[in-house]
Amino acid sequence: MSYFRYIDNGEGPTKLFIGGVHGNEGLTSLRFIKRISEEDLSPGQFYFYNFDRTEYISTIKKEYYDSEIGQKILDLIEYFQPDFYTELHCYNLENYEKLTSMERYRKTGIPPLIKLGNHVLVSSVSPLIRMTYFSTETVCKTLEFPCFEKLTPGIIEKYGFDKQLAIETYEKLLKLILKSPSRNYFEIEMMKSYSEQVELAMRYAKKVFGEDFPPY
């Protein structure tokens, strides 16, 4: 079932969160969305959408944004014009090295995802929409958690996956996005907690967007 939640938390930035972007990812993202409480929030307007299972098309392909779900997401972005835009994805843990390898950039022109720790990954959103649907001041993040339904005992053992540590790692960044009252606050806190990841994101942003474009 599709899920929607709106929270009016007074004057402040508009924040749009999208889960279930493609495939069966909504099963994982909905677990995190439902754990969010109003105590986690900055002042502002909050919109949470989690979509049903859809055909899997990569968001780095133009075909995604021509699809029904892609068009819905673009409509939401254009309607709300968020100050913070966050996509909550999940991935198959078996693809961890593939997603974080520079081979991804050589093959697709899209930088690899960045290791946040405990198998949680982070990046900007698809370059196909970052430069055309958002201003440079918009905070755009993609968060990736290993898909819960694919975490078999064999996979967990093979990759040394610690579910609780991964949840804590994922929710720490998610709550920073939720709590940040401004882009400036978010940038400062990111540098405090994730300086290595930010520096790497800045290098990737220069490769894709040019010298003056922010990493998120």
Side-chain angles (χ1 to χ4, degrees):
M1 176 180 290
S2 294
Y3 175 92
F4 169 71
R5 184 182 181 191
Y6 164 63
I7 300 174
D8 179 352
N9 208 30
E11 291 190 14
T14 297
K15 300 183 180 181
L16 175 60
F17 297 81
I18 304 288
V21 175
H22 44 196
N24 211 25
E25 293 183 337
L27 293 176
T28 296
S29 54
L30 187 57
R31 294 195 190 190
F32 289 104
I33 290 172
K34 286 188 171 181
R35 285 164 61 92
I36 293 168
S37 70
E38 295 194 21
E39 295 177 352
D40 298 324
L41 310 180
S42 69
Q45 304 295 301
F46 293 79
Y47 299 90
F48 301 90
Y49 286 84
N50 196 77
F51 291 102
D52 291 335
R53 180 182 177 87
T54 60
E55 178 185 5
Y56 185 91
I57 305 172
S58 173
T59 56
I60 65 174
K61 293 183 178 180
K62 184 179 181 298
E63 297 95 297
Y64 179 80
Y65 297 102
D66 292 331
S67 70
E68 182 179 356
I69 183 67
Q71 286 292 309
K72 285 181 180 178
I73 290 173
L74 293 181
D75 287 345
L76 291 172
I77 293 168
E78 290 189 309
Y79 182 80
F80 292 117
Q81 298 184 14
D83 302 292
F84 287 73
Y85 173 71
T86 306
E87 290 183 358
L88 308 178
H89 291 256
C90 75
Y91 73 99
N92 188 333
L93 192 53
E94 291 186 310
N95 293 328
Y96 179 74
E97 294 301 333
K98 179 180 177 181
L99 291 171
T100 57
S101 169
M102 277 303 293
E103 187 64 22
R104 185 175 193 245
Y105 178 72
R106 287 189 283 272
K107 287 183 176 180
T108 67
I110 306 297
L113 299 170
I114 296 171
K115 299 175 183 178
L116 199 65
N118 299 308
H119 297 98
V120 175
L121 306 176
V122 64
S123 71
S124 183
V125 297
S126 172
L128 292 174
I129 63 172
R130 180 63 183 95
M131 297 184 73
T132 53
Y133 285 85
F134 304 99
S135 77
T136 55
E137 291 303 306
T138 310
V139 175
C140 294
K141 297 305 296 179
T142 291
L143 304 184
E144 294 263 7
F145 191 91
C147 298
F148 280 115
E149 74 274 14
K150 295 183 179 180
L151 290 173
T152 65
I155 292 295
I156 289 172
E157 181 178 0
K158 180 179 179 180
Y159 292 94
F161 180 70
D162 187 315
K163 181 179 177 182
Q164 187 54 44
L165 283 179
I167 289 172
E168 291 172 5
T169 300
Y170 187 95
E171 290 191 329
K172 180 182 177 182
L173 180 51
L174 177 58
K175 288 181 179 181
L176 173 58
I177 296 169
L178 291 163
K179 201 72 175 177
S180 293
S182 66
R183 180 184 181 88
N184 185 59
Y185 177 94
F186 178 78
E187 289 179 342
I188 291 171
E189 294 303 312
M190 283 292 290
M191 284 302 298
K192 287 180 183 177
S193 299
Y194 309 106
S195 59
E196 290 184 9
Q197 288 87 352
V198 171
E199 290 172 5
L200 185 55
M202 291 173 68
R203 294 204 297 272
Y204 289 166
K206 288 180 181 179
K207 286 179 178 291
V208 177
F209 303 119
E211 288 293 322
D212 299 324
F213 211 86
Y216 29 67

